[in-house]
Amino acid sequence: MSRELIFATNNLHKLEEIQSIIGDSFVLKSLQQIGFNEDIPETAPTLEGNALLKAQHIFNIYGKNCFADDTGLEIEALDGRPGVFSARYATDGHDFEANIDKVLYELTGKENRKARFRTVIALILDGSTYTFDGRVSGEIITERRGSAGFGYDPVFLPDGYSFTFAEMPLEEKNKISHRALAVNKLVGFLKSK
Ligand code: IMP
């Protein structure tokens, strides 16, 4: 029998993608589908903290199994920034272009351009809490390349590749991305349940 699992997101693309990997033992529900239409404040100082905060918030209200994710770009020479502030690094909104400009400006003249994307998923299942993380290392190049993807993709060159995330077909990015690695860990765990 299928078990219901809430994914604390309204990003239906992410939800469908994860649902297709999980198969039919769990049926995912978005926040909108369970009638939750507020913003959950992401006030924790870490990705783990924010993922846990979102999952806990929904569990406290609905008492149902759920999970949440949070992702950030961590740049070594910037002491891990933008990190938890990746979505709102330059402005309050999700201004991808301004965020990239700010990162490129802050890296001006720096030799070390190493960076990684990291996704953390927090799961609350049958009253216990679990976290899963996925990471992909690479470097921030000096100019944008490519038009696919979103966020910092045009300036992120994954290690071992000559294409930025924005120059890769989505299927290729999905094989190696931080999000895919974290989701695979989550799915592996859920399949064992
Ligand atoms: P979220 O936690 O998935 O909403 O991601 C937070 C922010 O990190 C996004 O607004 C993007 O700026 C950035 N980000 C997350 N995943 C990616 C990615 O795969 N490529 C580029 N940027 C990303």
Side-chain angles (χ1 to χ4, degrees):
M1 208 182 73
S2 294
R3 302 173 69 190
E4 184 179 292
L5 183 60
I6 299 167
F7 181 10
T9 186
N10 276 322
N11 184 331
L12 291 185
H13 174 73
K14 275 191 199 173
L15 187 130
E16 280 164 20
E17 191 178 291
I18 299 179
Q19 180 72 71
S20 72
I21 309 173
I22 293 182
D24 53 12
S25 45
F26 286 88
V27 174
L28 299 189
K29 292 270 164 71
S30 69
L31 290 179
Q32 211 176 8
Q33 283 172 318
I34 59 166
F36 183 89
N37 293 306
E38 296 155 38
D39 267 343
I40 307 173
E42 299 187 22
T43 50
T46 60
L47 298 173
E48 285 79 3
N50 271 340
L52 281 165
L53 192 141
K54 288 189 269 186
Q56 200 72 53
H57 189 87
I58 296 304
F59 184 74
N60 289 346
I61 297 173
Y62 296 93
K64 290 186 175 175
N65 292 329
C66 62
F67 70 94
D69 70 341
D70 202 26
T71 295
L73 174 68
E74 300 174 328
I75 301 176
E76 207 171 87
L78 302 182
D79 299 323
R81 293 192 316 275
V84 78
F85 300 110
S86 292
R88 49 207 148 98
Y89 195 42
T91 67
D92 278 350
H94 292 239
D95 187 337
F96 294 148
E97 296 309 320
N99 287 342
I100 290 180
D101 286 341
K102 182 166 176 182
V103 158
L104 291 182
Y105 175 75
E106 290 187 328
L107 284 176
T108 309
K110 297 215 192 289
E111 234 167 69
N112 178 5
R113 303 185 71 97
K114 283 187 197 155
R116 69 181 183 196
F117 277 113
R118 201 158 67 87
T119 293
V120 178
I121 294 177
L123 167 73
I124 303 178
L125 188 73
D126 301 331
S128 296
T129 302
Y130 309 87
T131 57
F132 308 91
D133 99 331
R135 44 185 84 185
V136 58
S137 297
E139 64 176 275
I140 303 299
I141 57 174
T142 52
E143 282 172 1
R144 292 165 169 82
R145 272 170 36 193
S147 54
F150 69 102
Y152 300 89
D153 280 348
V155 290
F156 184 78
L157 188 69
D159 285 344
Y161 288 79
S162 52
F163 299 113
T164 66
F165 266 177
E167 291 174 311
M168 277 185 190
L170 187 59
E171 308 85 70
E172 197 65 30
K173 179 185 169 191
N174 282 345
K175 282 186 204 151
I176 61 164
S177 83
H178 44 298
R179 206 169 1 265
L181 297 175
V183 166
N184 287 346
K185 287 186 190 169
L186 168 75
V187 170
F189 178 79
L190 290 174
K191 283 189 169 161
S192 72
K193 288 282 143 188

